[in-house]
Amino acid sequence: MEAWNIHENNVPNISNPTVAAIVSGGGTPFSPQFTPFNSPGMAQCGNTTALTCNTDEQTFLLYVNYSPNKLNNFSLRTEYFMDPQGQRTGVATNYTDVAAGWQHWFSPQVEIRPEIAYYRSMNAPAFNSNGAVGTVAPNRSWAVIAASDLIFHF
């Protein structure tokens, strides 16, 4: 089991028209013109007149692992993720997910970790958007994601 909290003070409020204009106009190093992908998120503060606010994010995870031998490990992960200001994910909502993964060691130096996960946003659509173009809003409350790592230890 794992739980963690991230708290940040004075996060720019993207709900404030002045802040939104500064960000969209290229007035920060993390504006879309300079950092179109994976830039730090702005907060969606409850007060549109505030320039900044404090953000809080909380996560609870549970892992169940099974290892039939020394070269393989299977895992099931469940998670509940709260992002009330949308600063971490871009959408102010709560999320749940469940994922199944496999870790296989080809040798002591090489491993592969494929995983498939189902994510669900609870209070608002949070998936199927394109932040790189700025105008495509999320329109779906779920996503299925397949991912894999190939790791070389040295």
Side-chain angles (χ1 to χ4, degrees), residues 50-67:
L51 293 176
T52 65
C53 67
N54 299 335
T55 62
D56 188 47
E57 173 249 307
Q58 182 71 46
T59 302
F60 302 96
L61 297 109
L62 176 66
Y63 301 89
V64 177
N65 295 308
Y66 171 69
S67 186

Side-chain angles (χ1 to χ4, degrees), residues 11 14-15 38-45 55 57 81-95 121 124-127 129 131 134 136-138:
V11 178
I14 200 66
S15 300
N38 299 323
S39 63
M42 305 294 146
Q44 298 167 26
C45 307
T55 62
E57 173 249 307
F81 183 86
M82 297 178 289
D83 189 9
Q85 293 84 25
Q87 198 251 335
R88 295 287 169 199
T89 63
V91 177
T93 188
N94 297 336
Y95 298 84
S121 59
F127 302 101
S129 66
V136 180

Side-chain angles (χ1 to χ4, degrees), residues 5 17 36 40 47 64 66 70 76 81 85 90 92 102 129 136 141 153:
N5 176 275
N47 180 355
V64 177
Y66 171 69
K70 293 181 180 182
L76 178 68
F81 183 86
Q85 293 84 25
W102 172 44
S129 66
V136 180
S141 295
H153 297 269

